[in-house]
Amino acid sequence: MDKKIAFMKGNEALAEAALRAGMTGYFGYPITPQTEVIEYLCKEAPKYPKFTVLQAESEVSSINMVYGAAAAGGRIMTTTSSPGFSLMQEGISYIACADIPCVIANVQRGGPGLGTIQPSQGDYFQSVKGGGHGDYKLIVFAPNSVQEVVDYTYNAFDLANKWMCPILILSDGAIGQMMEKVILPEPIPARTAEEMRDEKPWATNGKGKRTKRNIITSLNIQSDAMERRNNELQEKYRRIEGEEVRYETYKADDAEILITAYGLSSRVCKKAVDIAREQGLKIGLVRPITLWPFPTKVIDEFASKPNVKFFMDVEMNVGQMIEDVKLVVNGRKPVYFYGRTGGILATAEEILEQIKAKM
Amino acid sequence: MKEGYTLVYKRPDTLLKTRMHYCPGCFHSILHKLIMEVVEEMGIQNDVIGVSPVGCSVFAYDYMDVDFQEAAHGRACAVATGIKRTLPNHPVFTYQGDGDLAAIGLAETMHACNRGEKFSIFFVNNAIYGMTGGQMAPTTLEGQITTTSPYGRDPKNVGYPMKMAEMVSQLPGVAYCERVCLNNPANVRKAKKSIRKCFEIQAQNLGTTFLEVVSNCPTNWRLSPIKTLDFVENNMLKYYPLGVKKDVTATEEK
């Protein structure tokens, strides 16, 4: 096995990318529209003798299995969809506080409540603002194609190890379900037990030859210890903000109107930009790829440009990322919003119409 | 050791020389010591991984000199599942109280046992929430007074005390299940043998090993440590009978 070109469903490509990244364990619970991930892994598992896949009794359980397995030194992933992601929040908070690297994918569906199984971007707040209790962050990638799902998932395991924190792949029901051509990266050989011990000297994998025991905990009951832990986390987050911001701009250099959109919405917005350009309208796109750390600098630069008239934020929710855009723009330019919910994806024409109405 | 003396007892090296936070007379310290004695006697202290719960024993890792992970409330069996599936050749155990294992973590407990996860569960049943200050537990006895059952537990309103060892023993994934107690020296010695049995059966990959340890709570039972022993004998053990509930190795021997 090496690099391979395939025509794959987003969810299956995500699973395949994780296997190729040397994932050693997956724990998950079926939920539409991401169930193909665990189905694919159960089918492929026999080919990977060092890989373990387990269907948990709930998302509450699967995220805590991830906590145990990742603390023990494995390269571990779970996937879910929005209601399941809500259930995982407590566990994610523990994992973040204990500095445990792992990968989580949320193939979003519409809410609130049981909502709909149709695609949505309703979990921006939950993904970017913390979600669970306490002050913590996840590095959040918002792919907008099956290829990007593959690339970000494949790299997420090493990035999680680098920063000792959970990485979130924030996809949605449409990207999860659609089929596209993908280039699958070369498989990373599974690590031996010794390599795992060397790579993660902090892991709770038995004292072995260590002189001191390892303890994984998120409990810091003394006030000064808890504040110290918070300060350490915040310091790490500032470093991540300095190094890991990723974004894409599209026909934005001379734009007078800037669309901000991520994930699935950004693809439709690209088409809206193309149509606008054909009509001679100077519209461009700023697309955050990492939702946290947020691409503050680039949005700030556009907000300062005299020729930029306004921003139009487009999401598949009722306005979540717009809060971060507004924080950066800070009143210098108007920031308008257009979003659809219930699994309805705005068309390029619809978005353009909304922009024209503000011109 | 002085010349001419025979060593009959020593503190296990695996039990750290730290002052414990447990209340005077609480059985937790005895159980910590027994587990660490067995770990040391079996020579598995460099392999074993423990999982502590939320409850009085949340700081179990402060006392046992082995690798340890602290789980969220009720999730010890899920965390242990993750550890054991990642490191199948390492002995793994959870240490959980009645609120953790039988209330908020009941699903994790039952499903881990049902899957026959190859780790050992040490379940401390003292019929009350200790750390939060004496609230009703799933295992609180009928009529027992707690801060949330101030007129005594009324089963018609809040259900009956749960017999976890009996429930768990019904699951095919469980290889060994016993209820022990630490209320007198004979029972302490028996409990130690059972702890060893759990680790031995775990090493044979036969299934989940579950040890319910009937315990006490001098502070929240509002009894002196000595009087808790009477309460254990006269009340707890009447409802929670001691003994082996399941042993697949015994069946094999027949």
Side-chain angles (χ1 to χ4, degrees), chain A residues 27 52 54 57 60-61 64-65 67-69 71-72 74 76 90 94 196-197 203-208 210 213-217 219 221, chain B residues 16 45-49 58-59 61-62 64-70 72 75 78-79 81-83 85-87 90 107-108 111 115 117:
Chain A
F27 305 89
T52 181
L54 183 62
E57 58 271 23
V60 172
S61 191
N64 284 284
M65 289 174 181
Y67 186 28
I76 309 298
E90 185 202 23
Y94 281 63
M196 276 164 65
R197 289 192 79 91
T204 40
N205 46 13
K207 262 175 89 179
R210 277 187 267 115
R213 71 196 193 286
N214 282 342
I215 296 168
I216 303 288
T217 181
L219 176 63
I221 206 157
Chain B
L16 289 159
Q45 60 268 39
N46 292 331
D47 302 319
V48 74
I49 300 136
V58 66
F59 286 120
Y61 55 77
D62 278 347
M64 305 190 207
D65 191 16
V66 298
D67 273 12
F68 239 98
Q69 184 170 3
E70 206 291 305
R75 315 299 166 221
V79 169
T81 298
I83 298 170
R85 297 272 174 150
T86 304
L87 303 166
H90 286 252
E108 282 77 1
H111 282 280
R115 288 190 302 264
E117 294 293 341

Side-chain angles (χ1 to χ4, degrees), chain A residues 210-228:
Chain A
R210 277 187 267 115
T211 51
K212 283 188 85 176
R213 71 196 193 286
N214 282 342
I215 296 168
I216 303 288
T217 181
S218 62
L219 176 63
N220 302 278
I221 206 157
Q222 302 296 338
S223 304
D224 54 348
M226 189 68 250
E227 185 165 61
R228 199 160 52 241

Side-chain angles (χ1 to χ4, degrees), chain B residues 106-137:
Chain B
L106 186 64
E108 282 77 1
T109 306
M110 297 305 274
H111 282 280
C113 290
N114 190 48
R115 288 190 302 264
E117 294 293 341
K118 282 133 194 100
F119 54 77
S120 300
I121 300 168
F122 300 123
F123 165 46
V124 177
N125 173 9
N126 66 357
I128 205 155
Y129 281 59
M131 178 167 264
T132 45
Q135 295 76 34
M136 184 181 66

Side-chain angles (χ1 to χ4, degrees), chain A residues 21 77 91 99 104 131 209 242 287-288 312 318 325 331:
Chain A
M77 182 173 83
D99 288 331
I104 304 159
K209 288 172 188 152
R287 173 204 164 205
M312 173 63 82
V318 297
V325 176

